Amino acid sequence: MNLLALLTDKGLLSASDRAKVEAELAKKHPLSDALAARGISLQDALAEAGKAYGIPSRVLGDPPASHEVFRYVPIDSARHYGFVPLAIVDGALEVGITDPDNIEALDALQFISGQIGIPYKILLISTEDFDRVIDAYQNLSGEVGRALSEFDTAAKPAAGGTRAPAGAMPAEGPLALSEETLDLGGPKEALKEDAPVTKIVSTILRYAIEGHSSDIHIEPSPTRTRVRFRVDGELHTSLELPAKVHEAVVARIKILAKLRLDEKRKPQDGRFSATVDKRRIDFRVSTFPTENGEKVEMRILDQSDATATLESVGLSGDHLAEVRAMMKAPYGIVLIAGPTGSGKSTTLFAMLSELDRETANVVSLEDPVEYQIPDVAQSQVRPEIGYTFATGLRSILRQDPDVIMVGEIRDKETAVLAVQAALTGHLVFSTIHTNTAAGAVPRLIDMGVDPFLIAPTLVAVIGQRLVRKICEGAGKPFPITDSVRLSLEQQFADLPEAYRRKLPAFKQFYHAGQTADCPSGTRGRTAVFEILRMNKKLEEVVLKDPVEGKVYAAARSEGMLTMREDAILKALAGEIPFEEIGTLGGDFLSEGEAA
């Protein structure tokens, strides 16, 4: 198939433009950019070609394909015939193909489908997307596959010998090392360690870091071990390993994290560090016993993220000014509210990084210490030996602190001590698990804190969630329809008039488009916020009837925007895709209405 020739035949591309596109392609310019310069999107071009052949087309996102399906098609066959597996949907194997005219490729695909017993569905993809899938196919899977072959060779018993039990390795081998920091090397460098299991683990860690993953999940089943990476909040299967190597992989991770190898009946927690491109990466490790073996979860903590600023976490405009004002309070409590994984710790560290740590004594209690902050005395609580947030907070008060950071307020004792610290002239930062900022007040009362203590000590509650960001230059604007505009007006209807006048015009939202550098259109995440500031009206509500609805109403009357509304404003500015608004609840602004 010649896509450019087909576009020319259809009258979508002139002969002169086709020659220019071909010249740009010869210079290794992306096809999507070359077509976009002529007013044609790659998606539209593939759709037109797909119509000509009677098959659907697709522009692949990032990651381009699920590693789970790579085992169905040998990489040599994929490269030779020009088709690649993409995913299994509704029981059928989706296969991307670059040339529907290739009869040999279709015959080979028919043969493979019969061998694996799974029907297939052909999708037309670009050669660029094909190359991206092949790269993903041969990199992670290829390195791990070679290590698995070495593992099989090493595991074969010598003549007359006895096969070692699964997971066992020589005592002097690399698996027995207990180094605190290992060097994973660069993407094209040889791995530092040579043992097959060590190569497997190091490769998984390195690809997770390079893919900007926040977590790694290693999950056993009776027949396989699934490795999944969490990227921008979503889990993707990146690799599958045979079940026979699971125990050895878990043992290697346990040794790195200094966990007990012989304890498989109960969960364990630990951590270790790695060096990648001269960056220190910390891994927080948690093991969990299941019927099929131990499941491992590793949280990836890039120490370069400790330099996050208030702007980089998503604060801007009035919200940024409010946060900086509350950080200057002489005493009181500032809480950050949200569920697990909503970015609370990163926001806390960004706030601490802006404090004057030269003239103030800043002390923190964390579980665990995730990021190192210069000039902050950071202490990790250890409940197993009786060193809890509450006991640590008592000790901190004898350290002459000016600012105290408590990782989480999770029980009455910690909450009461934090309030007492605020009453005695300290500024306390902490987090609390509630869905909204307004919900933090009744939550504190449920913990046993008296309302008459909350009113004078609570400075503010910052509620937050994480949403995907649009890559630079990838935002595709589209106009807002009358029905959506009406819904937006209803959303902000109960906001006081003085604050409604500050809102931007409701003109257009943005979809995440595709660029050469950012195929999915989104990369990374930012936070959306709601900030509840304590004031006289809110103090009266807290003292008289502190239910969440009335707390919200009092804050709303003073101009508080909800997280959903902050997302709407960020979507109007083209910072986040329109679709992210829907992740924050509500039943209006459907994609169909807006498109």
mmCIF file of all heavy atoms in Angstrom, residues 24 187 226 228 545 552:
data_model
loop_
_atom_site.group_PDB
_atom_site.id
_atom_site.type_symbol
_atom_site.label_atom_id
_atom_site.label_comp_id
_atom_site.label_asym_id
_atom_site.label_seq_id
_atom_site.Cartn_x
_atom_site.Cartn_y
_atom_site.Cartn_z
ATOM 1 N N GLU A 24 10.491 15.050 2.591
ATOM 2 C CA GLU A 24 10.620 15.196 4.051
ATOM 3 C C GLU A 24 10.796 13.829 4.711
ATOM 4 O O GLU A 24 11.545 13.694 5.679
ATOM 5 C CB GLU A 24 9.391 15.910 4.612
ATOM 6 C CG GLU A 24 9.321 17.385 4.222
ATOM 7 C CD GLU A 24 8.110 18.080 4.809
ATOM 8 O OE1 GLU A 24 7.703 17.704 5.926
ATOM 9 O OE2 GLU A 24 7.565 18.985 4.154
ATOM 10 N N PRO A 187 20.188 2.776 28.698
ATOM 11 C CA PRO A 187 19.333 1.895 27.907
ATOM 12 C C PRO A 187 20.090 0.985 26.953
ATOM 13 O O PRO A 187 19.602 -0.080 26.614
ATOM 14 C CB PRO A 187 18.445 2.884 27.127
ATOM 15 C CG PRO A 187 19.175 4.193 27.180
ATOM 16 C CD PRO A 187 19.940 4.190 28.456
ATOM 17 N N ARG A 226 2.688 -11.912 35.688
ATOM 18 C CA ARG A 226 2.404 -10.705 34.914
ATOM 19 C C ARG A 226 3.128 -9.516 35.537
ATOM 20 O O ARG A 226 3.091 -9.310 36.752
ATOM 21 C CB ARG A 226 0.900 -10.444 34.898
ATOM 22 C CG ARG A 226 0.496 -9.204 34.121
ATOM 23 C CD ARG A 226 -1.000 -9.098 33.959
ATOM 24 N NE ARG A 226 -1.695 -8.968 35.241
ATOM 25 C CZ ARG A 226 -2.967 -8.602 35.365
ATOM 26 N NH1 ARG A 226 -3.691 -8.390 34.282
ATOM 27 N NH2 ARG A 226 -3.525 -8.503 36.558
ATOM 28 N N ARG A 228 3.221 -5.450 35.445
ATOM 29 C CA ARG A 228 2.474 -4.289 34.978
ATOM 30 C C ARG A 228 3.133 -3.003 35.486
ATOM 31 O O ARG A 228 3.593 -2.930 36.614
ATOM 32 C CB ARG A 228 1.022 -4.338 35.465
ATOM 33 C CG ARG A 228 0.236 -5.493 34.869
ATOM 34 C CD ARG A 228 -1.259 -5.286 35.037
ATOM 35 N NE ARG A 228 -1.703 -5.435 36.422
ATOM 36 C CZ ARG A 228 -2.935 -5.160 36.835
ATOM 37 N NH1 ARG A 228 -3.833 -4.711 35.973
ATOM 38 N NH2 ARG A 228 -3.271 -5.332 38.109
ATOM 39 N N ASP A 545 -22.844 23.551 63.668
ATOM 40 C CA ASP A 545 -23.395 22.401 62.932
ATOM 41 C C ASP A 545 -22.397 21.963 61.851
ATOM 42 O O ASP A 545 -22.612 22.211 60.655
ATOM 43 C CB ASP A 545 -24.738 22.786 62.303
ATOM 44 C CG ASP A 545 -25.495 21.569 61.772
ATOM 45 O OD1 ASP A 545 -25.062 20.428 62.071
ATOM 46 O OD2 ASP A 545 -26.506 21.758 61.070
ATOM 47 N N TYR A 552 -19.316 23.115 53.273
ATOM 48 C CA TYR A 552 -19.123 23.472 51.865
ATOM 49 C C TYR A 552 -19.862 24.761 51.516
ATOM 50 O O TYR A 552 -19.314 25.648 50.841
ATOM 51 C CB TYR A 552 -19.604 22.340 50.956
ATOM 52 C CG TYR A 552 -19.735 22.758 49.516
ATOM 53 C CD1 TYR A 552 -18.617 22.874 48.693
ATOM 54 C CD2 TYR A 552 -20.986 23.090 48.970
ATOM 55 C CE1 TYR A 552 -18.723 23.291 47.377
ATOM 56 C CE2 TYR A 552 -21.104 23.499 47.651
ATOM 57 C CZ TYR A 552 -19.976 23.599 46.862
ATOM 58 O OH TYR A 552 -20.081 24.025 45.568
#
